[in-house]
Amino acid sequence: MVKRIACIVMGCCWVVAVACAQWTDSTHYYVQLSATNSINKTNNQSAFLFNNGLRFSIQKERIRLNLNNNWLYGRQDGATTNNDYSASFDANFYRTSGRFFYWGLANYNTSYSLRIKNQLLTGAGVAYSMLDSDVAYLNISDGLLFDASSILENDIPIHYQTIRNSFRLVYKFTIRQFVVLQGTNFYQPSLTKGSDFNIRLNNDISFQLNRGLSLKAALTYNRINRTDSENLLFTYGLAFERYF
């Protein structure tokens, strides 16, 4: 698992490094660091949940590269409840209009709470932005993903491969340059088995404290129907972002 993660991260870093070396100063860069958490402690019980994320994007003319990493860790009464890691790299290729574009994706996941030992998703598709302005963005996309997974099904290790349809809804709305509502939501059913589907919902609200720092509350829901596992998470904390 460690070797596979290292290969993915090194590959993504190599692509980003090549892109940075070849592109000019007109290229736009974006970085976001977020640390949200939830802590509950009583006389006899304690629980905490840490959700840390890193996002880095490069955009120039008709192409955009995105690198995302997220680590979720939680314990309750001394027992681990979450130890989930996700790394993804995607590329968007825009047409002249800018609203319609093609995308490609490579995503690695491992999740204690969702009973995923290893999951590698790769694929491509198309997307269309119904709204695209500085204050309102609404995008839908669809495509096919190849899923190679190692999971625990009824506590039995299962290795399988399947093709999934991946439908995504992305939105971002900014209110008076102070409040930001945004979310990325997926529905990913297998093309060969209707009961084998994944749901991933990530939505948050941010309140700008200054130009680069914001107070953030996030609501996340995940379900892997094949392992009959799900989690619903609410965290809050700070996020730092910068364009350059």
Side-chain angles (χ1 to χ4, degrees):
M1 180 183 71
V2 175
K3 184 181 294 185
R4 185 174 298 181
I5 294 174
C7 291
I8 293 172
V9 173
M10 290 177 64
C12 293
C13 291
W14 179 82
V15 172
V16 172
V18 171
C20 290
Q22 293 181 347
W23 289 356
T24 67
D25 292 339
S26 62
T27 303
H28 301 285
Y29 304 89
Y30 171 78
V31 62
Q32 183 189 73
L33 297 170
S34 63
T36 59
N37 61 81
S38 177
I39 300 174
N40 182 26
K41 184 174 179 61
T42 64
N43 291 336
N44 300 319
Q45 296 180 326
S46 64
F48 65 85
L49 185 69
F50 297 135
N51 191 4
N52 303 292
L54 167 64
R55 177 183 176 88
F56 180 65
S57 299
I58 305 175
Q59 184 170 4
K60 177 178 172 65
E61 297 178 355
R62 299 181 185 177
I63 185 172
R64 180 168 184 170
L65 308 177
N66 300 300
L67 178 64
N68 292 279
N69 286 272
N70 194 82
W71 180 51
L72 177 71
Y73 183 76
R75 293 180 67 87
Q76 182 170 347
D77 298 332
T80 299
T81 56
N82 300 86
N83 191 6
D84 310 336
Y85 175 75
S86 176
S88 66
F89 175 76
D90 65 88
N92 297 335
F93 304 94
Y94 296 90
R95 296 169 60 89
T96 305
S97 65
R99 288 181 176 267
F100 178 83
F101 60 89
Y102 304 98
W103 57 266
L105 170 71
N107 178 217
Y108 173 81
N109 301 292
T110 179
S111 174
Y112 179 86
S113 62
L114 297 174
R115 305 172 69 80
I116 300 174
K117 299 180 67 177
N118 295 286
Q119 181 185 57
L120 182 63
L121 300 167
T122 59
V126 295
Y128 180 76
S129 298
M130 293 181 285
L131 299 174
D132 191 357
S133 69
D134 293 337
V135 297
Y137 180 76
L138 180 62
N139 176 273
I140 57 173
S141 72
D142 199 59
L144 295 178
L145 296 177
F146 172 72
D147 180 352
S149 294
S150 175
I151 62 174
L152 292 176
E153 189 174 335
N154 298 321
D155 293 324
I156 300 174
I158 300 293
H159 306 278
Y160 77 98
Q161 298 177 352
T162 189
I163 302 296
R164 297 187 180 279
N165 182 78
S166 181
F167 176 78
R168 185 189 69 175
L169 172 66
V170 179
Y171 68 89
K172 182 177 181 179
F173 299 103
T174 303
I175 304 172
R176 298 185 179 276
Q177 298 183 333
F178 173 65
V179 179
V180 179
L181 296 168
Q182 61 183 347
T184 302
N185 303 286
F186 291 92
Y187 175 62
Q188 299 171 329
S190 170
L191 298 184
T192 59
K193 189 176 182 181
S195 60
D196 179 7
F197 62 85
N198 302 336
I199 298 175
R200 302 181 185 274
L201 310 178
N202 297 278
N203 301 275
D204 63 71
I205 181 171
S206 300
F207 302 90
Q208 294 294 132
L209 302 179
N210 57 38
R211 184 178 179 182
L213 188 65
S214 60
L215 182 64
K216 179 179 179 179
L219 183 66
T220 301
Y221 174 76
N222 296 291
R223 176 165 183 84
I224 307 299
N225 204 56
R226 181 156 183 165
T227 64
D228 194 26
S229 301
E230 62 184 358
N231 56 38
L232 177 64
L233 313 168
F234 175 76
T235 54
Y236 52 88
L238 296 174
F240 169 81
E241 64 180 6
R242 184 182 178 185
Y243 295 89
F244 56 97

